[in-house]
């Protein structure tokens, strides 16, 4: 009896994580059900799904698993027992919503799940948000014009600047720029932005339990410009001063370094974090090295947010073949970061 009471008391100390269902026509409902029922997830956090209970039941049927999917009104109403999925049911999707087809109704639902999760986090009802994938075209067709989750959450929380971090078992990457063209990215990069990105990455890793992370900073040009041979001196003008400013603040940052070499070194464990200058510079190596268990972390928000590092996968939605490992890992990292206080200063 004492053991049970003690176990319950310990479980009640775990962080609440709002798990958004993503686009209901994609693989989100399937990976959410699988991840929320995973024993590791329930040992590390108290997941509460924001979505549609009906769609989650359909996903459980697709997967052929027994799931006690229960609608609740408030986070504090959640009851955590084996096989149970607690869901704040927004009931936005029709019963006959097709799997794997673009839908503005599903796009609007994905927006609403994020909106509610953001409100819960800002109110302190949950300690982190973990998001299943949405479809940008569906989101836009519903009238919500955002490039993706990162920008949407920044808007909903009133945050001016955030960074995207990708984390896999082999490598972590944070981006100075993301969803803009390459020419625009080079134009946007400047020493202050580089420094702020390094700082955000450093703080996130300290929060995750790495006290003095070693950070490698990518160059823009091949061979880091090779003393002016390649490019227009972008490394010395745009990157190096930002790295030096971070070093002056006590951050263990090195660079700018040739990106190809840096990713090789980081992949074998020499660096805890790589700072990529633009979207594909960081995303390409990450997807080669471990997209199956990859996690997308939005750094700089007033709340913790993690996500799978894959899309809605319409081609396999509703077929019980979506891999839930990335969602399980996203929940793991949300719990890990939510249980640590933010660094001071």
């Amino acid at each position: 009896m004492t053991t049970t009471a003690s176990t319950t008391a310990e479980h009640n100390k775990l962080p609440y994580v709002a798990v958004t269902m993503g686009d209901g026509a994609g693989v989100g409902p399937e990976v959410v059900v699988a991840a929320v029922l995973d024993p590791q997830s329930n040992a590390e956090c108290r997941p509460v799904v924001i979505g549609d209970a009906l769609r989650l039941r359909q996903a459980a049927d697709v997967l052929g698993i027994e799931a006690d999917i229960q609608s609740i009104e408030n986070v504090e109403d959640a009851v955590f027992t084996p096989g149970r999925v607690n869901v704040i049911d927004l009931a936005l999707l029709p019963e006959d919503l097709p799997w794997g087809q673009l839908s503005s109704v599903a796009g609007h639902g994905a927006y609403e799940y994020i909106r509610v999760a953001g409100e819960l986090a800002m109110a302190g009802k949950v300690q982190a948000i973990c998001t299943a994938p949405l479809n940008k075209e569906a989101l836009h067709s519903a009238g919500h014009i955002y490039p993706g989750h990162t920008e949407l959450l920044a808007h909903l929380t009133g945050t001016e600047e955030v960074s995207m971090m990708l984390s896999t078992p082999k490598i972590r990457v944070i981006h100075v720029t993301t969803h803009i063209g390459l020419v625009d990215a080079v134009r946007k990069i400047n020493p202050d932005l580089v420094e702020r990105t390094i700082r955000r990455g450093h703080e996130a890793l300290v929060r995750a339990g790495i006290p003095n992370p070693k950070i490698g900073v990518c160059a823009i040009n091949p061979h880091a410009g090779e003393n002016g041979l390649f490019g227009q001196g972008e490394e010395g003008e745009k990157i190096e001063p930002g790295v030096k400013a971070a070093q002056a603040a006590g951050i263990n940052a090195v660079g700018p370094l040739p990106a190809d070499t840096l990713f090789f070194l980081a992949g074998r464990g020499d660096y805890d974090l790589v700072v990529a200058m633009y979207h594909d510079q960081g995303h390409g190596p990450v997807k080669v090295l471990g997209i199956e268990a990859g996690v997308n972390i939005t750094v700089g928000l007033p709340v913790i947010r993690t996500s799978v590092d894959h899309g809605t996968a319409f081609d396999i939605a509703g077929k019980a073949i979506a891999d839930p490992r990335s969602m399980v890992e996203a929940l793991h990292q949300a719990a890990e970061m939510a249980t640590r206080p933010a660094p001071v200063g």
Side-chain angles (χ1 to χ4, degrees):
M1 186 73 175
T2 304
T3 302
T4 303
S6 175
T7 302
T8 301
E10 287 300 312
H11 192 265
N12 289 341
K13 295 178 182 178
L14 297 177
Y16 283 110
V17 178
V19 183
T20 60
M21 196 178 77
D23 190 301
V27 297
E30 294 170 79
V31 298
V32 164
V33 168
V36 169
L37 291 176
D38 186 86
Q40 173 184 303
S41 301
N42 286 278
E44 295 178 334
C45 68
R46 291 181 284 177
V48 175
V49 181
I50 316 298
D52 272 52
L54 174 62
R55 195 58 164 180
L56 293 170
R57 293 187 185 105
Q58 291 173 335
D61 289 341
V62 163
L63 295 171
I65 58 177
E66 293 290 331
D68 180 20
I69 296 169
Q70 293 291 334
S71 300
I72 59 173
E73 291 291 326
N74 304 295
V75 171
E76 52 268 28
D77 297 332
V79 176
F80 297 93
T81 54
R84 174 169 167 140
V85 177
N86 296 281
V87 54
I88 295 179
D89 183 12
L90 301 192
L92 296 171
L93 305 182
E95 184 174 358
D96 60 352
L97 179 73
W99 293 101
Q101 294 184 24
L102 191 73
S103 164
S104 59
V105 173
H108 176 65
Y111 170 84
E112 287 295 314
Y113 309 148
I114 288 293
R115 182 188 62 78
V116 171
E119 289 178 355
L120 290 171
M122 294 297 284
K125 300 289 187 179
V126 299
Q127 285 69 57
I129 299 171
C130 181
T131 61
L134 53 72
N135 182 282
K136 295 179 179 65
E137 189 176 349
L139 185 72
H140 293 178
S141 70
H144 307 295
I145 312 301
Y146 299 92
H149 270 122
T150 302
E151 296 83 1
L152 173 53
L153 277 164
H155 171 75
L156 292 172
T157 58
T159 306
E160 289 188 10
E161 186 177 271
V162 296
S163 297
M164 177 190 293
M165 180 187 291
L166 302 180
S167 178
T168 78
K170 290 186 177 180
I171 198 170
R172 300 180 192 86
V173 182
I174 192 168
H175 294 70
V176 175
T177 67
T178 48
H179 295 127
I180 57 177
L182 181 56
V183 172
D184 294 329
V186 174
R187 187 179 298 118
K188 181 176 180 179
I189 296 165
N190 64 61
D192 289 342
L193 179 57
V194 169
E195 182 194 357
R196 292 195 299 273
T197 305
I198 294 170
R199 283 180 176 271
R200 279 191 285 269
H202 172 82
E203 290 169 2
L205 265 60
V206 169
R207 178 174 233 160
I210 302 173
N212 184 34
K214 186 174 183 181
I215 300 172
V217 181
C218 286
I220 294 173
N221 295 299
H223 299 221
E226 202 161 302
N227 298 316
L229 183 62
F230 305 117
Q232 305 296 320
E234 289 88 354
E235 280 70 30
E237 175 190 344
K238 293 174 170 288
I239 304 174
E240 191 174 333
V243 175
K244 287 182 176 178
Q247 291 170 340
I251 295 173
N252 186 9
V254 181
L257 301 172
D260 53 355
T261 303
L262 175 54
F263 276 105
F264 167 74
L265 296 173
R268 75 179 190 185
D270 292 9
Y271 291 89
D272 298 300
L273 178 67
V274 172
V275 179
M277 291 297 123
Y278 52 90
H279 185 282
D280 284 12
Q281 187 182 57
H283 276 62
V286 164
K287 292 189 175 183
V288 169
L289 289 173
I291 189 173
E292 298 88 354
V295 176
N296 183 328
I297 304 169
T298 305
V299 180
L301 291 170
V303 297
I304 296 301
R305 178 260 174 167
T306 66
S307 178
V308 293
D309 187 30
H310 61 72
T312 47
F314 281 167
D315 57 325
I316 62 170
K319 298 179 180 178
I321 55 177
D323 190 333
R325 285 182 292 171
S326 182
M327 196 73 194
V328 171
E329 181 63 19
L331 263 175
H332 164 68
Q333 295 210 25
E336 186 175 57
M337 297 178 78
T339 53
R340 288 176 170 80
V344 178

